[in-house]
Amino acid sequence: MEIGAAMNSGLQGMQRANQQVSQSSQEIASASTSGRNDVQQQSNAVANGAQAATETASETSQSVTAANTTDSLVSLNQGQTNFESNTRTVETADEMLGTMIDTSA
């Protein structure tokens, strides 16, 4: 494999991992915001006397939000691991290039 191709592959992998981390972070932030909105809606519904229906809807919403948050956290961790792996690829290609320059000089 050419050193340039290895370097490009590592850089592209780092970019994909960065996008994955950004998307996961946004999903986690959105879940946090929607959780606050659910509490607000539940408070309003209790004030209106619809407590039983709201509790059921809130429990369903909370379990979906928890599942989405868990998936986003896993994706965030995968993105971090992918980024670190691709960083090692770029570092190795850099070392190989340095070695080639040293031996040819």
Side-chain angles (χ1 to χ4, degrees), residues 14-36:
M14 290 170 68
Q15 289 173 340
R16 285 190 304 269
N18 186 36
Q19 290 171 349
Q20 182 178 4
V21 167
S22 295
Q23 181 179 357
S24 298
S25 298
Q26 289 174 352
E27 289 171 0
I28 292 168
S30 295
S32 175
T33 303
S34 72
R36 285 188 217 130

PDB file of all heavy atoms in Angstrom, residues 14-36:
ATOM      1  N   MET A  14     -10.885   9.713   9.816  1.00  0.00           N
ATOM      2  CA  MET A  14     -10.984  10.699  10.893  1.00  0.00           C
ATOM      3  C   MET A  14     -12.155  11.649  10.646  1.00  0.00           C
ATOM      4  O   MET A  14     -12.878  12.012  11.573  1.00  0.00           O
ATOM      5  CB  MET A  14      -9.671  11.474  11.027  1.00  0.00           C
ATOM      6  CG  MET A  14      -8.531  10.643  11.583  1.00  0.00           C
ATOM      7  SD  MET A  14      -6.913  11.445  11.477  1.00  0.00           S
ATOM      8  CE  MET A  14      -7.110  12.791  12.637  1.00  0.00           C
ATOM      9  N   GLN A  15     -12.350  12.046   9.391  1.00  0.00           N
ATOM     10  CA  GLN A  15     -13.465  12.940   9.062  1.00  0.00           C
ATOM     11  C   GLN A  15     -14.811  12.256   9.311  1.00  0.00           C
ATOM     12  O   GLN A  15     -15.728  12.865   9.864  1.00  0.00           O
ATOM     13  CB  GLN A  15     -13.373  13.405   7.611  1.00  0.00           C
ATOM     14  CG  GLN A  15     -12.246  14.378   7.366  1.00  0.00           C
ATOM     15  CD  GLN A  15     -12.049  14.698   5.895  1.00  0.00           C
ATOM     16  OE1 GLN A  15     -12.477  13.948   5.022  1.00  0.00           O
ATOM     17  NE2 GLN A  15     -11.383  15.812   5.619  1.00  0.00           N
ATOM     18  N   ARG A  16     -14.928  10.985   8.899  1.00  0.00           N
ATOM     19  CA  ARG A  16     -16.176  10.244   9.136  1.00  0.00           C
ATOM     20  C   ARG A  16     -16.439  10.091  10.636  1.00  0.00           C
ATOM     21  O   ARG A  16     -17.571  10.253  11.099  1.00  0.00           O
ATOM     22  CB  ARG A  16     -16.125   8.874   8.468  1.00  0.00           C
ATOM     23  CG  ARG A  16     -16.298   8.910   6.962  1.00  0.00           C
ATOM     24  CD  ARG A  16     -16.478   7.503   6.384  1.00  0.00           C
ATOM     25  NE  ARG A  16     -15.377   6.617   6.726  1.00  0.00           N
ATOM     26  CZ  ARG A  16     -14.276   6.439   5.992  1.00  0.00           C
ATOM     27  NH1 ARG A  16     -14.138   7.098   4.865  1.00  0.00           N
ATOM     28  NH2 ARG A  16     -13.333   5.608   6.370  1.00  0.00           N
ATOM     29  N   ALA A  17     -15.387   9.784  11.382  1.00  0.00           N
ATOM     30  CA  ALA A  17     -15.539   9.633  12.829  1.00  0.00           C
ATOM     31  C   ALA A  17     -15.943  10.955  13.472  1.00  0.00           C
ATOM     32  O   ALA A  17     -16.787  10.986  14.379  1.00  0.00           O
ATOM     33  CB  ALA A  17     -14.238   9.117  13.448  1.00  0.00           C
ATOM     34  N   ASN A  18     -15.381  12.052  12.987  1.00  0.00           N
ATOM     35  CA  ASN A  18     -15.731  13.373  13.505  1.00  0.00           C
ATOM     36  C   ASN A  18     -17.206  13.675  13.255  1.00  0.00           C
ATOM     37  O   ASN A  18     -17.905  14.206  14.126  1.00  0.00           O
ATOM     38  CB  ASN A  18     -14.843  14.435  12.873  1.00  0.00           C
ATOM     39  CG  ASN A  18     -15.056  15.801  13.473  1.00  0.00           C
ATOM     40  OD1 ASN A  18     -15.301  15.935  14.661  1.00  0.00           O
ATOM     41  ND2 ASN A  18     -14.972  16.831  12.641  1.00  0.00           N
ATOM     42  N   GLN A  19     -17.691  13.323  12.069  1.00  0.00           N
ATOM     43  CA  GLN A  19     -19.106  13.531  11.759  1.00  0.00           C
ATOM     44  C   GLN A  19     -19.993  12.675  12.663  1.00  0.00           C
ATOM     45  O   GLN A  19     -21.037  13.123  13.132  1.00  0.00           O
ATOM     46  CB  GLN A  19     -19.382  13.200  10.294  1.00  0.00           C
ATOM     47  CG  GLN A  19     -18.787  14.193   9.332  1.00  0.00           C
ATOM     48  CD  GLN A  19     -18.886  13.736   7.881  1.00  0.00           C
ATOM     49  OE1 GLN A  19     -19.218  12.592   7.597  1.00  0.00           O
ATOM     50  NE2 GLN A  19     -18.571  14.636   6.960  1.00  0.00           N
ATOM     51  N   GLN A  20     -19.576  11.439  12.916  1.00  0.00           N
ATOM     52  CA  GLN A  20     -20.341  10.547  13.782  1.00  0.00           C
ATOM     53  C   GLN A  20     -20.409  11.096  15.206  1.00  0.00           C
ATOM     54  O   GLN A  20     -21.471  11.104  15.830  1.00  0.00           O
ATOM     55  CB  GLN A  20     -19.710   9.153  13.794  1.00  0.00           C
ATOM     56  CG  GLN A  20     -20.459   8.138  14.629  1.00  0.00           C
ATOM     57  CD  GLN A  20     -19.818   6.756  14.572  1.00  0.00           C
ATOM     58  OE1 GLN A  20     -18.766   6.554  13.960  1.00  0.00           O
ATOM     59  NE2 GLN A  20     -20.445   5.797  15.208  1.00  0.00           N
ATOM     60  N   VAL A  21     -19.289  11.596  15.706  1.00  0.00           N
ATOM     61  CA  VAL A  21     -19.261  12.174  17.046  1.00  0.00           C
ATOM     62  C   VAL A  21     -20.152  13.415  17.112  1.00  0.00           C
ATOM     63  O   VAL A  21     -20.915  13.589  18.065  1.00  0.00           O
ATOM     64  CB  VAL A  21     -17.805  12.501  17.465  1.00  0.00           C
ATOM     65  CG1 VAL A  21     -17.768  13.380  18.700  1.00  0.00           C
ATOM     66  CG2 VAL A  21     -17.017  11.213  17.697  1.00  0.00           C
ATOM     67  N   SER A  22     -20.083  14.256  16.098  1.00  0.00           N
ATOM     68  CA  SER A  22     -20.913  15.468  16.081  1.00  0.00           C
ATOM     69  C   SER A  22     -22.399  15.123  16.057  1.00  0.00           C
ATOM     70  O   SER A  22     -23.192  15.707  16.807  1.00  0.00           O
ATOM     71  CB  SER A  22     -20.573  16.330  14.868  1.00  0.00           C
ATOM     72  OG  SER A  22     -19.264  16.805  14.959  1.00  0.00           O
ATOM     73  N   GLN A  23     -22.780  14.166  15.214  1.00  0.00           N
ATOM     74  CA  GLN A  23     -24.182  13.783  15.115  1.00  0.00           C
ATOM     75  C   GLN A  23     -24.669  13.172  16.429  1.00  0.00           C
ATOM     76  O   GLN A  23     -25.757  13.505  16.913  1.00  0.00           O
ATOM     77  CB  GLN A  23     -24.383  12.792  13.975  1.00  0.00           C
ATOM     78  CG  GLN A  23     -25.826  12.366  13.805  1.00  0.00           C
ATOM     79  CD  GLN A  23     -26.016  11.396  12.649  1.00  0.00           C
ATOM     80  OE1 GLN A  23     -25.073  11.082  11.931  1.00  0.00           O
ATOM     81  NE2 GLN A  23     -27.226  10.924  12.473  1.00  0.00           N
ATOM     82  N   SER A  24     -23.867  12.310  17.021  1.00  0.00           N
ATOM     83  CA  SER A  24     -24.255  11.684  18.284  1.00  0.00           C
ATOM     84  C   SER A  24     -24.401  12.726  19.385  1.00  0.00           C
ATOM     85  O   SER A  24     -25.336  12.665  20.192  1.00  0.00           O
ATOM     86  CB  SER A  24     -23.223  10.633  18.698  1.00  0.00           C
ATOM     87  OG  SER A  24     -23.141   9.604  17.748  1.00  0.00           O
ATOM     88  N   SER A  25     -23.494  13.682  19.413  1.00  0.00           N
ATOM     89  CA  SER A  25     -23.563  14.751  20.416  1.00  0.00           C
ATOM     90  C   SER A  25     -24.842  15.569  20.267  1.00  0.00           C
ATOM     91  O   SER A  25     -25.489  15.921  21.259  1.00  0.00           O
ATOM     92  CB  SER A  25     -22.347  15.664  20.303  1.00  0.00           C
ATOM     93  OG  SER A  25     -21.172  14.952  20.542  1.00  0.00           O
ATOM     94  N   GLN A  26     -25.207  15.859  19.026  1.00  0.00           N
ATOM     95  CA  GLN A  26     -26.434  16.616  18.781  1.00  0.00           C
ATOM     96  C   GLN A  26     -27.661  15.815  19.218  1.00  0.00           C
ATOM     97  O   GLN A  26     -28.600  16.371  19.789  1.00  0.00           O
ATOM     98  CB  GLN A  26     -26.550  16.986  17.307  1.00  0.00           C
ATOM     99  CG  GLN A  26     -25.562  18.043  16.878  1.00  0.00           C
ATOM    100  CD  GLN A  26     -25.591  18.295  15.376  1.00  0.00           C
ATOM    101  OE1 GLN A  26     -26.242  17.581  14.627  1.00  0.00           O
ATOM    102  NE2 GLN A  26     -24.850  19.304  14.938  1.00  0.00           N
ATOM    103  N   GLU A  27     -27.654  14.506  18.961  1.00  0.00           N
ATOM    104  CA  GLU A  27     -28.777  13.661  19.361  1.00  0.00           C
ATOM    105  C   GLU A  27     -28.902  13.612  20.882  1.00  0.00           C
ATOM    106  O   GLU A  27     -30.006  13.659  21.421  1.00  0.00           O
ATOM    107  CB  GLU A  27     -28.601  12.250  18.801  1.00  0.00           C
ATOM    108  CG  GLU A  27     -28.783  12.175  17.301  1.00  0.00           C
ATOM    109  CD  GLU A  27     -28.387  10.829  16.712  1.00  0.00           C
ATOM    110  OE1 GLU A  27     -27.964   9.930  17.473  1.00  0.00           O
ATOM    111  OE2 GLU A  27     -28.505  10.669  15.484  1.00  0.00           O
ATOM    112  N   ILE A  28     -27.773  13.528  21.580  1.00  0.00           N
ATOM    113  CA  ILE A  28     -27.797  13.514  23.046  1.00  0.00           C
ATOM    114  C   ILE A  28     -28.324  14.840  23.577  1.00  0.00           C
ATOM    115  O   ILE A  28     -29.149  14.876  24.491  1.00  0.00           O
ATOM    116  CB  ILE A  28     -26.395  13.201  23.601  1.00  0.00           C
ATOM    117  CG1 ILE A  28     -26.009  11.758  23.256  1.00  0.00           C
ATOM    118  CG2 ILE A  28     -26.342  13.431  25.103  1.00  0.00           C
ATOM    119  CD1 ILE A  28     -24.556  11.427  23.490  1.00  0.00           C
ATOM    120  N   ALA A  29     -27.882  15.928  22.979  1.00  0.00           N
ATOM    121  CA  ALA A  29     -28.358  17.245  23.414  1.00  0.00           C
ATOM    122  C   ALA A  29     -29.853  17.399  23.150  1.00  0.00           C
ATOM    123  O   ALA A  29     -30.585  17.949  23.976  1.00  0.00           O
ATOM    124  CB  ALA A  29     -27.580  18.343  22.706  1.00  0.00           C
ATOM    125  N   SER A  30     -30.314  16.895  22.021  1.00  0.00           N
ATOM    126  CA  SER A  30     -31.741  16.972  21.697  1.00  0.00           C
ATOM    127  C   SER A  30     -32.570  16.142  22.665  1.00  0.00           C
ATOM    128  O   SER A  30     -33.655  16.552  23.071  1.00  0.00           O
ATOM    129  CB  SER A  30     -31.998  16.476  20.271  1.00  0.00           C
ATOM    130  OG  SER A  30     -31.390  17.323  19.350  1.00  0.00           O
ATOM    131  N   ALA A  31     -32.067  14.968  23.029  1.00  0.00           N
ATOM    132  CA  ALA A  31     -32.787  14.114  23.970  1.00  0.00           C
ATOM    133  C   ALA A  31     -32.891  14.791  25.330  1.00  0.00           C
ATOM    134  O   ALA A  31     -33.927  14.724  25.997  1.00  0.00           O
ATOM    135  CB  ALA A  31     -32.088  12.764  24.108  1.00  0.00           C
ATOM    136  N   SER A  32     -31.841  15.478  25.719  1.00  0.00           N
ATOM    137  CA  SER A  32     -31.853  16.194  26.990  1.00  0.00           C
ATOM    138  C   SER A  32     -32.887  17.304  26.964  1.00  0.00           C
ATOM    139  O   SER A  32     -33.647  17.504  27.904  1.00  0.00           O
ATOM    140  CB  SER A  32     -30.465  16.774  27.271  1.00  0.00           C
ATOM    141  OG  SER A  32     -30.477  17.564  28.425  1.00  0.00           O
ATOM    142  N   THR A  33     -32.960  18.016  25.856  1.00  0.00           N
ATOM    143  CA  THR A  33     -33.925  19.104  25.711  1.00  0.00           C
ATOM    144  C   THR A  33     -35.349  18.572  25.687  1.00  0.00           C
ATOM    145  O   THR A  33     -36.237  19.122  26.332  1.00  0.00           O
ATOM    146  CB  THR A  33     -33.638  19.902  24.421  1.00  0.00           C
ATOM    147  OG1 THR A  33     -32.304  20.379  24.483  1.00  0.00           O
ATOM    148  CG2 THR A  33     -34.587  21.055  24.270  1.00  0.00           C
ATOM    149  N   SER A  34     -35.582  17.468  24.965  1.00  0.00           N
ATOM    150  CA  SER A  34     -36.935  16.918  24.898  1.00  0.00           C
ATOM    151  C   SER A  34     -37.362  16.361  26.243  1.00  0.00           C
ATOM    152  O   SER A  34     -38.540  16.376  26.578  1.00  0.00           O
ATOM    153  CB  SER A  34     -37.039  15.852  23.808  1.00  0.00           C
ATOM    154  OG  SER A  34     -36.356  14.680  24.186  1.00  0.00           O
ATOM    155  N   GLY A  35     -36.412  15.870  27.038  1.00  0.00           N
ATOM    156  CA  GLY A  35     -36.737  15.392  28.382  1.00  0.00           C
ATOM    157  C   GLY A  35     -37.266  16.516  29.259  1.00  0.00           C
ATOM    158  O   GLY A  35     -38.214  16.339  30.022  1.00  0.00           O
ATOM    159  N   ARG A  36     -36.677  17.686  29.123  1.00  0.00           N
ATOM    160  CA  ARG A  36     -37.164  18.847  29.883  1.00  0.00           C
ATOM    161  C   ARG A  36     -38.556  19.253  29.413  1.00  0.00           C
ATOM    162  O   ARG A  36     -39.405  19.633  30.200  1.00  0.00           O
ATOM    163  CB  ARG A  36     -36.192  20.013  29.718  1.00  0.00           C
ATOM    164  CG  ARG A  36     -34.934  19.848  30.519  1.00  0.00           C
ATOM    165  CD  ARG A  36     -34.090  21.116  30.487  1.00  0.00           C
ATOM    166  NE  ARG A  36     -32.700  20.706  30.433  1.00  0.00           N
ATOM    167  CZ  ARG A  36     -31.805  21.143  29.583  1.00  0.00           C
ATOM    168  NH1 ARG A  36     -32.129  22.056  28.707  1.00  0.00           N
ATOM    169  NH2 ARG A  36     -30.588  20.715  29.600  1.00  0.00           N
TER     170      ARG A  36
END
